[in-house]
Amino acid sequence: MRDLFELEYAADPQISPDGHSVVYCRTSFDIMRDRTLSRLWSVKTDGTDHRPLTDADVIASSPRWSPDGKKIAYLASDGNRRQVFCRWINTGQTAQLTQLPESPTGIRWSPNSQQIAFSSFVPNPPENKMRLPGKPKGAQWAEPPKLVTRLKYRADGRGYLREGYHHLFVVPAEGGTARQLTQGNYDHEGDFTWSNDSRSIILAANRSANAELEPNRRNLFQLDLATLQIQKLTNRKGATGTPLLLADGSLLFLGNVDNLKGYQLSRIYRLREDGSEEIVSREFDRNIRGLQLAPDSQQLLFLYDDQGTTHLGSFSPDGEFKKLAGNVGGTTIGRPYASGSFSVSSTDAVCFTLCTSQRPADVACLDGNRSPVVRLTDLNSDLVDHRTLGVVEEHWFSSSFDNRRIQSWIVKPPGFDQKKKYPMILEIHGGPFANYGPRFSAEMQLMAAAGYVVLYVNPRGSTSYGEEFGNLIHHAYPGQDFDDLISGVDSLIEKGYVRPNSLFVTGGSGGGVLTSWIIGKTNRFQAAVVAKPVINWYSFALTADSYHYFYRYWFPGYPWEHPETYLKRSPISLVGNVRTPTMLLTGENDYRTPISESEQFYQALKLRQVKTAMVRVPGAGHGIASRPSHLLAKVAYILHWFEENSRGE
């Protein structure tokens, strides 16, 4: 298992304007400090001159080339918090450009290479009218109470939120004082672009009076840098972001029309001069993300998922689609989720993160002539070439519910023998609006190495199969996705190499929901590990960090107005049927699916005298395996529970 600490992967590759070099984040794991490290490395697009740009003790991220190709801006710590740094290409010298009280994010160069814009948090503590007596000098009193007044007061991975908002700033490329551009009680986080003349910024933000209760209602605004006046450009009811300006001044963006569905595709829109909108991506039935504009304004490049694989695609401004490359991703080491990023040069060359089921992300390049993809790095050959990994095999089957074709993958143990019979683990993805695919997964490889055949499925509700497939679980989750998963298990058993009496099931988040639902519906699994689940939708809808979202998009309304609907979809409603030995596994600081959800199921099973255990991960949020040791511990607990509750042949 400790091989995990030897893995590396590439992230956020940025190609130089001339298309000759790529700077990327080389990510590794520190076994002594149990954390993820990120350093900047560079490599020529012919695969030569692969070398570090930042020191080993500097955690650096977000490299961005200046449009003139003379500098690279990036984020790194000044020993206290992240700041904006700059590296001069011709000399290799670096300088710290900012000295901010709060860490910046989302850096963007102006087209004339003279300024760098970014967002940063600005504290805005509320006035506390409560007047308490001051403590005597030298007294040791308890920490004072905290006053909470905002709708969203905590967030998973961030804890309890400080009062304040994110605003846009700009700093000269040669360094100096950062200037705050936006004001008010609105968040302006990193979703913006510069005007072609570098005199204004187009930004996406929710500046409505009811912004907290309508998280998906954003619009585009134009901010004049000279006057700081803001002009509203759109009046939309839906998600709006990633603004881009063509050379002729035409404004494009990603967005959707909010119909209160759980799964709503982002499409490419063009804003006409009269304020109306045109869909550039037309009937393209896949979610578009990471939209970028080629410098010649002749291509709109983006990522999309199709049947469990992430692709790089493009549209011309008039709507002609092309598929450019596949197998993008590889930056989610634990489980095989969609991920990845790319960038494009002035020469139309593209670099991106390339992955396979046997390798995490490397840097790859596609030249302007769209010749075959060239992999520029091989970060894990020193480790993986000397190991035998489980082979990942695609598998389609028909759902017993409606005969719909469902996609899945099988991970076979190293040294797999077709004539033998193996125990099987059904591993269920979260989301539920997400997808697994033929991508590297440390967790599933560890399970396969322990002698299990691992099955992972994209049941209905999964992304990458179109909007209709994703919304088959609208107001019906969990539901027939159960039939899809069980049909996958049955189709694998029919292959003859899985022992029908040695079945195990696990999943996290949405996968935890379905795992706890499954064991309430059937007793055919020998053991289950339910990770960070929702057990009671009523309590979840009022304790999750995004409680202003879930009641509106996943349910028909408030829980107190639809209690039967909430209970009908809650695994706690089936707890009286559970006989399966069950382990609960959740981070103690999880604010997305709070640990109180796991506690309800644990205590109900204990009262019913069903064999159960609860693993509480100190300091962990919903990203329960975000620290390397926690990822290893998660898999170790799962495998131990399955072994302990295995009945054998």
Side-chain angles (χ1 to χ4, degrees), residues 577-628:
N577 301 332
V578 177
R579 302 288 185 273
T580 307
T582 302
M583 173 180 280
L584 284 300
L585 198 159
T586 304
E588 290 190 327
N589 292 350
D590 191 332
Y591 296 133
R592 181 60 45 80
T593 55
I595 198 168
S596 56
E597 293 295 309
S598 295
E599 290 169 336
Q600 290 181 62
F601 207 56
Y602 173 79
Q603 292 174 188
L605 292 175
K606 278 294 186 183
L607 291 174
R608 294 197 54 253
Q609 301 181 53
V610 175
K611 184 177 181 181
T612 186
M614 179 167 55
V615 179
R616 306 170 65 97
V617 186
H622 196 63
I624 197 170
S626 59
R627 300 191 70 170

Side-chain angles (χ1 to χ4, degrees), residues 343-473:
S343 62
V344 58
S345 75
S346 298
T347 63
D348 207 23
V350 182
C351 69
F352 60 95
T353 52
L354 176 71
C355 74
T356 70
S357 64
Q358 307 292 293
R359 290 283 198 284
D362 277 299
V363 179
C365 186
L366 190 66
D367 67 26
N369 297 319
R370 303 299 180 242
S371 299
V373 170
V374 177
R375 189 174 68 176
L376 304 182
T377 65
D378 192 1
L379 301 183
N380 292 285
S381 60
D382 57 335
L383 174 68
V384 178
D385 286 354
H386 305 290
R387 302 289 190 277
T388 301
L389 299 183
V391 173
V392 179
E393 176 184 292
E394 184 181 27
H395 174 57
W396 288 81
F397 59 89
S398 297
S399 172
S400 62
F401 175 70
D402 56 6
N403 211 36
R404 189 180 297 266
R405 295 288 288 167
I406 303 295
Q407 189 180 25
S408 68
W409 289 266
I410 303 163
V411 189
K412 297 179 178 179
F416 174 80
D417 185 344
Q418 182 79 28
K419 297 178 181 179
K420 292 184 178 179
K421 289 187 179 291
Y422 296 86
M424 188 215 75
I425 296 175
L426 171 63
E427 211 285 346
I428 310 171
H429 74 64
F433 304 110
N435 68 80
Y436 276 165
R439 311 171 181 114
F440 180 82
S441 167
E443 293 186 29
M444 297 197 190
Q445 287 292 338
L446 289 170
M447 292 175 182
Y452 293 87
V453 169
V454 184
L455 173 68
Y456 59 95
V457 182
N458 282 344
R460 66 193 64 212
S462 299
T463 58
S464 79
Y465 305 92
E467 197 162 29
E468 185 264 347
F469 187 86
N471 282 312
L472 288 173
I473 62 169

Side-chain angles (χ1 to χ4, degrees), residues 49 135-136 217 322 332 366 408 497 547:
D49 197 21
K135 65 180 180 180
R217 305 294 172 92
K322 291 182 181 178
T332 56
L366 190 66
S408 68
Y497 53 76
Y547 66 103

Side-chain angles (χ1 to χ4, degrees), residues 395 421 424 455 486-501 503 524:
H395 174 57
K421 289 187 179 291
M424 188 215 75
L455 173 68
I486 297 302
S487 296
V489 173
D490 290 337
S491 69
L492 182 54
I493 291 173
E494 289 175 2
K495 288 181 174 290
Y497 53 76
V498 166
R499 297 200 297 265
N501 64 340
L503 307 179
R524 65 187 296 188

Side-chain angles (χ1 to χ4, degrees), residues 250-290:
S250 300
L251 179 59
L252 305 173
F253 60 93
L254 284 180
N256 62 40
V257 176
D258 192 359
N259 55 20
L260 301 183
K261 292 281 186 73
Y263 184 49
Q264 301 179 136
L265 295 181
S266 288
R267 294 183 166 90
I268 304 173
Y269 287 79
R270 184 201 305 270
L271 184 65
R272 297 190 181 102
E273 290 185 6
D274 62 1
S276 62
E277 298 172 1
E278 170 191 5
I279 300 178
V280 176
S281 54
R282 298 172 184 167
E283 300 304 317
F284 187 71
D285 193 28
R286 296 293 183 269
N287 191 65
I288 294 173
R289 56 187 172 88

